Amino acid sequence: MDQSIVANYEAAKALYAQHGIDVDAVLEKLAEIKISMHCWQGDDVRGFLNKDQALTGGISVTGNYPGAAGTPAELRADLEKAFSLIPGKHKVNLHAIYVDTDEKVELDRIEPKHFEKWVAWAQEQGLGLDFNPTCFSHEKSADGFTLSHPDPAIRQFWIDHCKASRKIGAYFGERLGQTCVTNVWIPDGFKDVPVDRLAPRQRLKDALDEVFAEELNPAHNLDAIESKLFGLGSEAYVVGSHEFYMGYGIANNKLICLDAGHFHPTEVISNKLSSLSLFADGILLHVSRPMRWDSDHVVTLDDELIDIGRELVRGDLLGKTHIGLDFFDASINRVAAWVIGTRNTIKALLRGFLDPVEALREAELNFDFTTRLALQEEFKSYPFGAVWDYYCAKQGVPVREAWLAEVKAYEQNVLLKRGAEAAVAKK
Ligand SMILES: C[C@H](O)[C@H](O)[C@@H](O)C(=O)CO
Ligand SMILES: [Mn+2]
């Protein structure tokens, strides 16, 4: 390891030690935390089931940066590249549309065998897998309704899809020896003010009861449910609102998923974690960055991300919180998007661990808000970067922006050739 990295680390360690922070122990804890990196950043949420199907469900990807993955093998190669630049061992979050099979299979009939190649790859890479039913980008979701659709036949199709998805999740968990989180998000909602707000929610509740009726081994699969305030085309009303899923999740022991972009613009999920932790069995995060709306920008190390890290560490919530990412930006290199967002999420956790929490708590309990503010502000210029650099070097990944050159080389050697190869094949 570069001696200047070690020297800077030792100096930083001594400073933090003055506040009782054991930085070596912090780095050991940090290495245990898994981030679930979402596969859908790699191909603009297209998947491989119906590749020509437009993205629907009130979410949108903008940009036309070249090099999107077009096959499962390409997507896995891109994920591998990204993981080689991110410290730690993590998970991949798959959506049902990312089946890897030559069989023409419908969503309500998917089985573990359609994901076998993903499992073999995850095993080889030492990664865990998470899963999501895909209740959008499909002709049966064209009305904007799935599990709460008024037509029982359409509803049943989506119920069967979600049931099949849970079984795949349980299979992932069993095969990989790491619990899979299967997260249900549905787009159902109305563009304009509805007459009946209750009936769709009653239908959704009944449908979820059917989806979750079968008990699965919680060591293999945990169910999560994700609310949303509004989507494109569901501005007036979303069936699966926050209150709906808070109620459902607490009553039925499901993980409640908080997506950073699914609330009112001034509402932050960092302020929800402590409350939720007192009542919910577990929490799933979709770390995202809303810009004026649920725009799913790549997460930066902004105040909210740092606060999320702090809350997880200070509240000792890492044991019951599963950290997933959810952003999709097609205007920049997609591998870089993963690397930036995932490294930032880990940095935020590290920042949380490096706060002088005991001293801050004591100041607060003594109503000494002067000390609280002074310490918080001074710690902003503590040498967190030296600790981060050492962590990256120790984990065998590039230090600072050195990863960017690797992504640029991968872009030249792999990503930019994809379009050209396809064009040659067409001729
Ligand atoms: C593709 C994801 O499932 C999707 O982004 C969902 O989690 C969501 O956040 C929709 O806004
Ligand atoms: Mn989400």
Coordinates of all heavy atoms in Angstrom, one line a residue, residues 205-241:
K205 N -55.2 -4.8 -0.5 CA -55.0 -5.5 0.8 C -55.3 -7.0 0.6 O -54.5 -7.9 1.0 CB -55.9 -4.9 1.9 CG -55.7 -5.6 3.2 CD -56.6 -4.9 4.3 CE -56.6 -5.7 5.6 NZ -57.0 -7.1 5.5
D206 N -56.4 -7.3 0.0 CA -56.8 -8.7 -0.2 C -55.8 -9.4 -1.1 O -55.5 -10.6 -0.9 CB -58.2 -8.8 -0.9 CG -59.3 -8.2 0.1 OD1 -59.0 -8.1 1.3 OD2 -60.4 -7.9 -0.3
A207 N -55.4 -8.7 -2.2 CA -54.4 -9.3 -3.1 C -53.1 -9.6 -2.4 O -52.5 -10.7 -2.5 CB -54.1 -8.4 -4.3
L208 N -52.6 -8.7 -1.5 CA -51.4 -8.9 -0.8 C -51.5 -10.1 0.2 O -50.6 -10.9 0.3 CB -51.0 -7.7 0.0 CG -50.5 -6.5 -0.9 CD1 -50.3 -5.3 0.0 CD2 -49.2 -6.9 -1.6
D209 N -52.7 -10.2 0.8 CA -53.0 -11.3 1.7 C -52.8 -12.7 0.9 O -52.2 -13.6 1.5 CB -54.4 -11.3 2.3 CG -54.5 -10.2 3.3 OD1 -53.5 -9.6 3.7 OD2 -55.7 -9.9 3.7
E210 N -53.2 -12.7 -0.3 CA -53.1 -13.9 -1.1 C -51.6 -14.1 -1.5 O -51.1 -15.2 -1.4 CB -54.0 -13.8 -2.4 CG -54.3 -15.1 -2.9 CD -55.3 -15.1 -4.1 OE1 -56.1 -14.1 -4.2 OE2 -55.1 -15.9 -5.0
V211 N -51.0 -13.0 -1.9 CA -49.5 -13.1 -2.3 C -48.7 -13.7 -1.2 O -47.8 -14.6 -1.4 CB -49.0 -11.7 -2.7 CG1 -47.5 -11.7 -2.8 CG2 -49.6 -11.2 -4.0
F212 N -49.0 -13.2 0.1 CA -48.1 -13.6 1.2 C -48.7 -14.8 2.0 O -48.2 -15.1 3.1 CB -48.0 -12.4 2.2 CG -47.3 -11.2 1.5 CD1 -47.8 -9.9 1.6 CD2 -46.1 -11.4 0.8 CE1 -47.2 -8.8 1.0 CE2 -45.4 -10.3 0.2 CZ -46.0 -9.0 0.3
A213 N -49.7 -15.4 1.5 CA -50.4 -16.5 2.3 C -49.4 -17.6 2.6 O -49.4 -18.1 3.7 CB -51.6 -17.0 1.5
E214 N -48.6 -18.0 1.7 CA -47.7 -19.1 2.0 C -46.5 -18.6 2.8 O -45.8 -17.6 2.5 CB -47.1 -19.7 0.7 CG -46.3 -20.9 0.9 CD -45.7 -21.5 -0.4 OE1 -46.2 -21.1 -1.5 OE2 -44.8 -22.4 -0.3
E215 N -46.3 -19.3 3.9 CA -45.2 -19.0 4.8 C -43.9 -19.4 4.2 O -43.8 -20.6 3.7 CB -45.3 -19.7 6.2 CG -46.4 -19.2 7.1 CD -46.0 -17.8 7.7 OE1 -44.8 -17.6 7.9 OE2 -46.9 -17.1 8.0
L216 N -42.9 -18.6 4.1 CA -41.6 -19.0 3.5 C -40.6 -18.9 4.7 O -40.8 -18.0 5.6 CB -41.2 -18.1 2.3 CG -42.1 -18.2 1.1 CD1 -41.6 -17.2 0.1 CD2 -42.2 -19.6 0.5
N217 N -39.5 -19.6 4.6 CA -38.5 -19.6 5.6 C -37.8 -18.2 5.6 O -37.2 -17.8 4.6 CB -37.4 -20.6 5.3 CG -36.4 -20.7 6.3 OD1 -36.2 -19.8 7.1 ND2 -35.7 -21.8 6.4
P218 N -38.0 -17.4 6.7 CA -37.4 -16.1 6.8 C -35.9 -16.0 6.6 O -35.3 -15.0 6.4 CB -37.9 -15.5 8.1 CG -38.3 -16.7 8.9 CD -38.7 -17.8 8.0
A219 N -35.3 -17.2 6.8 CA -33.8 -17.2 6.6 C -33.5 -17.1 5.1 O -32.4 -16.7 4.7 CB -33.2 -18.4 7.2
H220 N -34.5 -17.5 4.3 CA -34.3 -17.5 2.9 C -34.9 -16.3 2.2 O -34.3 -15.7 1.3 CB -34.9 -18.8 2.2 CG -34.3 -20.0 2.7 ND1 -35.0 -21.2 2.7 CD2 -33.1 -20.3 3.3 CE1 -34.2 -22.2 3.2 NE2 -33.1 -21.6 3.6
N221 N -36.1 -15.9 2.6 CA -36.8 -14.8 1.9 C -37.5 -13.9 2.9 O -38.2 -14.4 3.8 CB -37.8 -15.3 0.9 CG -38.5 -14.2 0.2 OD1 -37.9 -13.5 -0.7 ND2 -39.7 -13.9 0.6
L222 N -37.3 -12.6 2.8 CA -38.0 -11.6 3.6 C -38.8 -10.8 2.6 O -38.3 -10.3 1.5 CB -37.1 -10.7 4.4 CG -36.4 -11.4 5.6 CD1 -35.4 -10.4 6.2 CD2 -37.5 -11.8 6.6
D223 N -40.1 -10.5 2.9 CA -40.9 -9.7 2.0 C -40.9 -8.2 2.4 O -40.9 -7.9 3.5 CB -42.4 -10.1 2.1 CG -42.6 -11.6 1.8 OD1 -42.2 -12.0 0.7 OD2 -43.1 -12.4 2.6
A224 N -40.8 -7.4 1.3 CA -40.9 -5.9 1.6 C -42.0 -5.3 0.7 O -42.3 -5.9 -0.3 CB -39.5 -5.3 1.3
I225 N -42.5 -4.2 1.2 CA -43.5 -3.5 0.4 C -43.1 -2.0 0.3 O -42.7 -1.4 1.3 CB -44.9 -3.7 1.0 CG1 -44.8 -3.5 2.6 CG2 -45.5 -5.0 0.7 CD1 -46.1 -3.8 3.3
E226 N -43.3 -1.5 -0.9 CA -42.8 -0.1 -1.2 C -43.9 0.9 -1.5 O -44.6 0.7 -2.5 CB -41.7 -0.2 -2.3 CG -41.1 1.2 -2.7 CD -40.1 1.1 -3.8 OE1 -39.9 -0.1 -4.3 OE2 -39.5 2.1 -4.2
S227 N -44.0 1.9 -0.8 CA -45.1 2.9 -1.0 C -44.5 4.0 -2.0 O -43.3 4.1 -2.3 CB -45.5 3.6 0.3 OG -44.4 4.4 0.8
K228 N -45.5 4.8 -2.4 CA -45.1 6.0 -3.3 C -46.1 7.1 -3.1 O -47.3 6.8 -3.0 CB -44.9 5.5 -4.7 CG -44.4 6.5 -5.7 CD -43.8 5.8 -6.9 CE -43.3 6.9 -7.9 NZ -42.5 6.3 -9.0
L229 N -45.7 8.3 -3.2 CA -46.6 9.4 -3.2 C -47.4 9.6 -4.5 O -48.6 9.8 -4.5 CB -45.9 10.7 -2.7 CG -46.7 11.9 -2.7 CD1 -47.7 11.9 -1.6 CD2 -45.8 13.2 -2.5
F230 N -46.6 9.7 -5.6 CA -47.2 9.8 -6.9 C -46.2 9.4 -7.9 O -45.0 9.3 -7.7 CB -47.6 11.3 -7.1 CG -46.4 12.2 -7.6 CD1 -46.2 12.4 -9.0 CD2 -45.6 12.8 -6.7 CE1 -45.1 13.1 -9.4 CE2 -44.5 13.5 -7.1 CZ -44.3 13.7 -8.4
G231 N -46.7 9.1 -9.1 CA -45.9 8.8 -10.3 C -46.4 9.5 -11.5 O -47.4 10.2 -11.4
L232 N -45.7 9.4 -12.6 CA -46.1 10.0 -13.8 C -47.4 9.3 -14.2 O -47.4 8.1 -14.4 CB -45.1 9.9 -14.9 CG -43.8 10.5 -14.7 CD1 -42.8 10.2 -15.8 CD2 -43.9 12.0 -14.6
G233 N -48.5 10.0 -14.3 CA -49.8 9.4 -14.6 C -50.6 8.9 -13.4 O -51.7 8.4 -13.5
S234 N -50.0 9.0 -12.2 CA -50.7 8.7 -11.0 C -50.5 9.8 -10.0 O -50.3 9.6 -8.8 CB -50.3 7.4 -10.4 OG -48.9 7.4 -10.1
E235 N -50.7 11.1 -10.5 CA -50.4 12.2 -9.7 C -51.4 12.4 -8.6 O -51.1 12.9 -7.5 CB -50.4 13.5 -10.6 CG -49.1 13.6 -11.5 CD -49.3 12.9 -12.8 OE1 -50.3 12.2 -13.0 OE2 -48.4 12.9 -13.7
A236 N -52.6 12.1 -8.9 CA -53.7 12.4 -7.9 C -53.8 11.4 -6.7 O -54.1 11.7 -5.6 CB -55.0 12.5 -8.6
Y237 N -53.5 10.1 -7.1 CA -53.8 9.1 -6.1 C -52.9 7.8 -6.4 O -52.9 7.3 -7.5 CB -55.3 8.8 -6.2 CG -55.7 7.5 -5.5 CD1 -56.1 7.5 -4.1 CD2 -55.9 6.3 -6.2 CE1 -56.5 6.3 -3.5 CE2 -56.3 5.1 -5.6 CZ -56.7 5.1 -4.3 OH -57.1 4.0 -3.7
V238 N -52.2 7.3 -5.4 CA -51.5 6.1 -5.5 C -52.2 5.1 -4.5 O -52.3 5.5 -3.3 CB -50.0 6.2 -5.3 CG1 -49.3 4.9 -5.1 CG2 -49.4 7.0 -6.5
V239 N -52.5 3.9 -5.0 CA -53.2 3.0 -4.1 C -52.3 2.6 -2.9 O -52.7 2.7 -1.8 CB -53.6 1.7 -4.9 CG1 -54.4 0.8 -4.0 CG2 -54.4 2.1 -6.1
G240 N -51.0 2.3 -3.2 CA -50.1 1.9 -2.2 C -49.4 3.1 -1.6 O -48.2 3.3 -1.8
S241 N -50.1 3.8 -0.8 CA -49.6 5.0 -0.2 C -48.7 4.6 1.0 O -48.7 3.5 1.4 CB -50.7 5.9 0.2 OG -51.5 5.2 1.2

